[in-house]
Amino acid sequence: MASKLSTPISPYHHHHHSSDHRPLPPFTTPLQLPSKRRFTISCNSAKRESPPPPSAVAQEPKTPSLAEQLKPLSTTILSDQPNKTQLLSKPKSTWVNPTRPKPSVLSLQRHKRASPYAYNPQIKDLRQFAKKLNECDEYDCLAVIEDNPHSPTRENTLLVLNTLKPWKKALLYFNWVKSQNLFPMETIFYNVTMKCLRFGRQFQHIEELAFEMIEKGIDLDNITYSTIITCAKRCNLFDKAVEWFERMYKTGLMPDEVTYSAVLDVYAKLGKVEEVMSLYERGRASGWKPDPIAFSVLGKMFGEAGDYDGIRYVLQEMKSLGVQPNLVVYNTLLEAMGKAGKPGLARSLFEEMVDSGISPNEKTLTALIKIYGRARWAKDALDLWERMRLNNWPVDFILYNTLLSMCADLGLVEEAEKLFDDMKGSERRKPDSFSYTAMLNIYGSGGNVDKAMDLFKEMSEVGVPLNVMGCTCLIQCLGRAKRINDLVRVFESSLESGVKPDDRLCGCLLSVVSICEGEDANKVLSCLDKANPKLVAFVELLTGLEITNFEIVKDEFKTILSNTSIEARRPFCNCLIDICRNRNLDEKAHELLYLGTIYGLYPGLHTKTEEEWRLNVRSLSVGAAHTAFEEWMSSLAKIVQRQERLPALFSANTGAGTHKFSQGLGSAFALHVEKLKAPFRESEEKAGFFIATREDLVSWVRSKASSVMATV
DNA sequence: AGGCAGGGGG
C-alpha cells in the first residue's frame, strides 16, 4: 500500500492494522538509520526545548549544566557533517583525531565499592534486632533500639540499616544513631537510609536528607544522586529528577554510567526522545559503552512511542557495540515491537532469543501472548501456549489473565472457560477482577448475554468486585441485546458498589442510546445523566425541538470534548453522529462530523495522491461513515461543477471487518452506496475497499446534481 | 549504598 495513503491513527485500532509476516532483519544486517520521520536529533530543537533551566550557566565553566551540555552539540559534533541524521550512525568517528580532547559528559569509572563487610560474629543478633525493630509498634521503637544487644558501631549500624525495610523505622534508627554522636555519619549512611526512603516513595524525606548533607559538608556521590533521581522518578516528580541531575553537574561531579542511564530513563519517561538521543550520543562520544540496562531504557522509550525505526536502531547499536541483549532487554524490545505494531518481528525476535539460549520468563510470555492476541494471530497464540506447557515455561497470575484476554481477543470461548475453571480450582490463582473482566468481554462480544449475567451474579457471590471495565463490557453486551432494564440494574448496582464511571463507560452508554428509541433511550440517558450530565444536556440540545444554531453546538461540543479523555473523544463524536442520523437529524450529523474533523478526531480521513483520492472510514461508526461519504460526494459535486482536475480513481476504505467490533461497517457501507446508487463497487483484490472510476463518478454526480446533493 | 522489563474496555 502506498505510504502516502496513511491509515487513520486510532487509539482503538492501533494494534489491529499490523499484519507483517516479514522476518526480522537478522541481527547482523548493516546499520540502518532510524528515519527522520520518527525522531530527529535536532540540536535546534534540543536547544529550543532545553529541558532544565540553565540555572548553572557561567558559574562553573568547567562543569556546564545539562542544558549547556546539550547546546553545543551542533558545534562540536555536527559542524562538519552535512546531514543531521549522521549523528546517529557513528558518533565515534567525530573523535578519530586523538589530539582533540574528548568532551566528557560522564565519568567512565564506576564507583568502587567499599570492601564487603568483614565477618561479623554478631550478625545473627543484629538481624534479630532489626527484625524486632521492623515489627514493633512505632511507640515502642525507642525501647527496642535501646535494647540493642550490641553497641551500634559503624559496621553494626550499616548492617541494621540495610535490614530495615519500613522507611519510618530506617529514618528513626538513622536519626537515633546520628544523635548518639558515636562516629561521623559518612555518605554511605545517608545512601542506605535513602534507599529505604525510596522504597517507601518518600521523596520529601530524601530531599531533606540531601540538603542536610550539603549543609554539613558531607559529600553526595553518584550513589546518592542516582538514588535521589530514581526516587523522584518513581514519585513522578520528573522536574525534581532533572533538577538534581543539574545540581550534580553544578557541583562538578560527573555522572557515572548508572546515574547516566537513570537520567536517560527520566527523559525517556518524559517522552523527550530528542533529549534522550542527544544525551546518549554525548555519552557515546565520550567513550561510554552503553550496557543492557541503558539499551532497555532506549527500547522502552521507542516502544512507548511506537517507533519501529527507533527499536531497530537499538538492536543495531547493540550489534555494532557487541552488547549481547539479556532477558530484560529482550522483554523490553518484544513489548516495544508489539506497541509498534510488528507482531511478526516480535515473533522472530523471540525465536532469536530462545535460539541464543535465553529462556523466556513470565514477562516475556505475557508480552508475546498479548501481541498475538491483539494481532488476532490465533495459531501463533495457541502454538505458544502449547510450547509453554511442553517446555514447562513459568506461568504466573498475570500471565494467566493475559491468556484469558487473549482468548477474548480471539473469541476462544471454550479455551477461556477451561482456563477460567482451572483458575477457580487452584489455590493460588483464584480469578480476580481482571479475570472476570476478560470473561465478561468474551461473553459480551460473543453476544452471550445470559452467561455474562451469570458471571455478574457469581461475582457478587464470591466477592470479586465488578470494576469499571467489567461494567463497560457487561453494559455493552446488554445494550446490544436491548436488555435495557437489566442494563439499568447493572449500572445502578455498580454505582452503589463504588464503580466510578469513566469516559469509556459513558461512551458505551452513549452508543447504546444511539441504537435505542423512545423510552429505552430515555432510560439509558438517565443512567448517563448520573455519570456525565453535560453530555446528556448536549444530546438534548442536539435532539430537542428547539432550533439550535451552529455556534452554540460548536461551543458546547468543544467544552464536552475538552473535558473528555483523548481516547474517548472520537467514540463520543461517532455516537453523537449516530444518534442524530437515527433521529433524521442529518444536518446536525454533518455539523458534528465537521466539528470532529476540525478538532482533529479524524486524522487522515481523506488522503489524496495524483492517481487516487481515498476516504478512510475505518475508525468511524456506521452513521459517521455515511455522513462522511455524503460530505465527500457533495464536495466532489462542487469540484465537478467547477470542472477542476480529478484523479482517475476514488476509493473508500471501510476495513475488512476482521476485527470483532468493526464487522458490519463494510456491509452497511455497501447498502448505503446502493441506496444512493453511487458507483462504488467492493474491490475484489483488496478486502475492505470500495472503488469508483472518475468517469462513473462524474456521470453519477451530474445525474444527481439537483436532488440529493442539494440537501447535503 | 545506586540504573532497566509484564495484565484491561471502542
Side-chain angles (χ1 to χ4, degrees):
Chain A
M1 193 186 297
S3 61
K4 280 178 208 161
L5 301 171
S6 61
T7 52
I9 297 160
S10 150
Y12 296 131
H13 292 225
H14 71 280
H15 46 261
H16 297 141
H17 53 75
S18 55
S19 50
D20 60 284
H21 288 255
R22 285 172 297 153
L24 183 71
F27 209 42
T28 46
T29 49
L31 176 73
Q32 288 209 264
L33 289 174
S35 79
K36 285 180 283 186
R37 187 168 50 81
R38 302 310 295 268
F39 68 84
T40 316
I41 305 308
S42 155
C43 301
N44 291 332
S45 93
K47 192 159 76 181
R48 191 175 62 240
E49 292 183 73
S50 64
S55 48
V57 176
Q59 286 180 2
E60 294 267 355
K62 277 185 181 167
T63 55
S65 73
L66 178 58
E68 290 287 289
Q69 297 265 344
L70 293 174
K71 201 158 66 174
L73 262 175
S74 51
T75 49
T76 56
I77 293 184
L78 291 180
S79 54
D80 50 350
Q81 295 187 355
N83 185 348
K84 278 179 184 173
T85 56
Q86 283 185 16
L87 177 58
L88 285 169
S89 61
K90 286 216 162 50
K92 281 173 292 184
S93 61
T94 314
W95 305 107
V96 287
N97 179 357
T99 60
R100 266 174 80 186
K102 286 182 187 177
S104 190
V105 287
L106 82 169
S107 147
L108 299 172
Q109 197 88 47
R110 278 276 285 275
H111 198 279
K112 291 236 167 45
R113 287 264 160 97
S115 60
Y117 305 109
Y119 174 71
N120 187 335
Q122 301 163 342
I123 198 162
K124 232 177 156 180
D125 294 339
L126 290 166
R127 279 190 201 284
Q128 193 81 36
F129 166 70
K131 191 164 178 264
K132 243 168 94 186
L133 193 51
N134 263 338
E135 288 162 359
C136 78
D137 194 277
E138 257 177 73
Y139 302 100
D140 304 330
C141 280
L142 202 60
V144 175
I145 287 174
E146 292 182 341
D147 197 30
N148 189 347
H150 302 286
S151 59
T153 61
R154 181 187 183 280
E155 280 65 35
N156 286 352
T157 300
L158 276 179
L159 207 145
V160 170
L161 275 176
N162 260 322
T163 327
L164 285 175
K165 256 190 113 176
W167 63 270
K168 281 186 180 172
K169 304 287 172 64
L171 191 57
L172 201 106
Y173 189 61
F174 173 77
N175 283 326
W176 181 82
V177 174
K178 206 163 59 185
S179 72
Q180 301 295 301
N181 280 320
L182 298 167
F183 44 83
M185 293 305 259
E186 307 155 34
T187 305
I188 187 170
F189 290 92
Y190 284 87
N191 290 349
V192 176
T193 310
M194 282 184 181
K195 192 184 153 198
C196 297
L197 291 169
R198 188 186 63 176
F199 189 74
R201 312 216 157 185
Q202 297 298 311
F203 183 73
Q204 270 213 312
H205 283 296
I206 284 199
E207 206 174 37
E208 278 163 28
L209 283 190
F211 285 132
E212 182 182 309
M213 292 173 80
I214 294 170
E215 200 183 307
K216 293 189 175 171
I218 299 165
D219 285 338
L220 285 76
D221 61 14
N222 259 293
I223 296 174
T224 323
Y225 281 110
S226 62
T227 310
I228 298 171
I229 288 165
T230 52
C231 179
K233 187 177 72 188
R234 285 179 203 181
C235 298
N236 288 322
L237 301 167
F238 295 101
D239 50 335
K240 280 287 182 190
V242 173
E243 185 190 315
W244 277 95
F245 187 53
E246 279 288 292
R247 193 189 296 271
M248 177 176 178
Y249 266 113
K250 245 203 269 187
T251 63
L253 183 63
M254 277 294 170
D256 65 13
E257 58 179 343
V258 172
T259 313
Y260 208 70
S261 62
V263 169
L264 281 181
D265 196 35
V266 169
Y267 282 99
K269 297 252 145 72
L270 285 168
K272 297 186 179 251
V273 179
E274 290 183 359
E275 280 82 352
V276 168
M277 292 314 290
S278 291
L279 268 179
Y280 176 82
E281 291 299 333
R282 285 294 282 188
R284 292 279 295 107
S286 310
W288 172 49
K289 183 179 172 186
D291 62 8
I293 293 181
F295 284 120
S296 119
V297 167
L298 295 187
K300 171 115 187 179
M301 173 183 76
F302 288 124
E304 293 299 325
D307 186 342
Y308 170 56
D309 293 319
I311 298 164
R312 284 205 317 181
Y313 174 71
V314 172
L315 281 165
Q316 202 53 64
E317 281 283 282
M318 282 192 289
K319 174 67 198 145
S320 64
L321 291 171
V323 176
Q324 182 61 36
N326 62 15
L327 180 61
V328 175
V329 171
Y330 273 117
N331 287 352
T332 313
L333 291 175
L334 279 172
E335 219 201 319
M337 288 289 193
K339 294 211 166 114
K342 304 284 177 190
L345 301 181
R347 184 177 58 188
S348 2
L349 191 62
F350 175 70
E351 297 306 338
E352 180 192 300
M353 175 187 132
V354 175
D355 288 345
S356 78
I358 299 176
S359 289
N361 67 3
E362 296 90 333
K363 294 180 168 91
T364 324
L365 299 166
T366 300
L368 214 52
I369 287 289
K370 192 172 115 184
I371 290 169
Y372 291 155
R374 298 224 154 149
R376 328 267 140 188
W377 285 16
K379 186 177 181 303
D380 292 274
L382 291 171
D383 285 352
L384 180 62
W385 198 355
E386 185 61 24
R387 245 167 109 187
M388 286 164 50
R389 281 188 280 244
L390 288 175
N391 293 314
N392 251 320
W393 281 337
V395 181
D396 66 4
F397 191 59
I398 290 181
L399 181 48
Y400 260 91
N401 278 341
T402 307
L403 285 165
L404 269 187
S405 18
M406 177 268 285
C407 291
D409 283 332
L410 298 173
L412 303 169
V413 185
E414 279 163 34
E415 287 83 348
E417 283 173 340
K418 194 177 169 303
L419 188 59
F420 193 59
D421 283 340
D422 286 351
M423 291 173 77
K424 283 180 181 169
S426 82
E427 279 303 312
R428 289 172 22 250
R429 300 198 239 270
K430 295 284 181 208
D432 68 353
S433 296
F434 277 71
S435 329
Y436 274 97
T437 301
M439 291 306 291
L440 285 171
N441 193 8
I442 290 174
Y443 292 141
S445 50
N448 201 332
V449 204
D450 294 323
K451 280 195 172 174
M453 281 303 278
D454 287 346
L455 272 185
F456 175 65
K457 290 190 200 98
E458 186 182 304
M459 289 177 78
S460 66
E461 283 159 20
V462 296
V464 174
L466 180 72
N467 59 25
V468 64
M469 302 173 212
C471 182
T472 307
C473 291
L474 192 51
I475 281 187
Q476 183 190 328
C477 160
L478 290 167
R480 238 186 272 163
K482 297 279 166 60
R483 282 174 44 174
I484 303 304
N485 291 335
D486 283 333
L487 183 150
V488 174
R489 250 183 46 227
V490 166
F491 181 75
E492 286 179 348
S493 89
S494 303
L495 286 189
E496 277 167 33
S497 61
V499 168
K500 296 264 171 283
D502 60 10
D503 291 338
R504 293 213 193 190
L505 177 50
C506 291
C508 174
L509 287 168
L510 199 61
S511 77
V512 178
V513 172
S514 77
I515 58 167
C516 285
E517 292 169 6
E519 205 38 52
D520 277 353
N522 287 335
K523 285 179 188 171
V524 182
L525 278 171
S526 63
C527 288
L528 186 55
D529 197 50
K530 289 173 185 147
N532 192 337
K534 280 194 171 167
L535 188 54
V536 174
F538 186 64
V539 172
E540 281 161 359
L541 179 80
L542 289 171
T543 59
L545 293 173
E546 304 240 342
I547 296 164
T548 344
N549 86 35
F550 174 70
E551 287 305 316
I552 294 176
V553 171
K554 182 179 174 182
D555 289 345
E556 292 298 311
F557 193 42
K558 192 176 179 182
T559 310
I560 300 264
L561 286 183
S562 52
N563 289 318
T564 303
S565 62
I566 290 166
E567 82 275 5
R569 287 178 186 173
R570 184 169 54 217
F572 274 25
C573 191
N574 280 339
C575 290
L576 290 166
I577 292 173
D578 284 353
I579 288 172
C580 291
R581 301 253 347 170
N582 292 343
R583 285 158 183 73
N584 292 318
L585 298 165
D586 285 11
E587 195 183 332
K588 286 271 177 291
H590 280 273
E591 289 177 10
L592 286 169
L593 180 71
Y594 170 75
L595 291 173
T597 309
I598 63 171
Y599 294 139
L601 304 185
Y602 302 106
L605 184 61
H606 293 277
T607 43
K608 294 182 178 180
T609 62
E610 269 312 295
E611 309 80 35
E612 182 182 344
W613 289 4
R614 178 175 296 172
L615 179 71
N616 302 291
V617 294
R618 292 194 303 171
S619 66
L620 276 64
S621 59
V622 170
H626 291 171
T627 311
F629 181 72
E630 292 170 6
E631 196 74 51
W632 194 33
M633 289 303 106
S634 75
S635 72
L636 285 179
K638 285 173 201 150
I639 292 171
V640 169
Q641 212 169 28
R642 293 198 297 260
Q643 303 200 320
E644 289 168 19
R645 259 176 73 97
L646 288 170
L649 200 63
F650 295 82
S651 70
N653 180 9
T654 59
T658 46
H659 185 248
K660 63 184 172 189
F661 298 120
S662 69
Q663 275 166 7
L665 184 56
S667 49
F669 191 85
L671 278 175
H672 191 65
V673 290
E674 196 180 320
K675 202 180 93 192
L676 297 176
K677 299 198 166 50
F680 281 86
R681 299 286 167 266
E682 209 160 351
S683 162
E684 310 238 319
E685 302 94 61
K686 283 197 277 188
F689 279 88
F690 290 79
I691 312 276
T693 62
R694 175 173 49 209
E695 288 64 36
D696 289 348
L697 197 59
V698 166
S699 68
W700 175 75
V701 160
R702 288 206 170 112
S703 76
K704 308 278 289 188
S706 51
S707 55
V708 171
M709 295 306 153
T711 65
V712 214

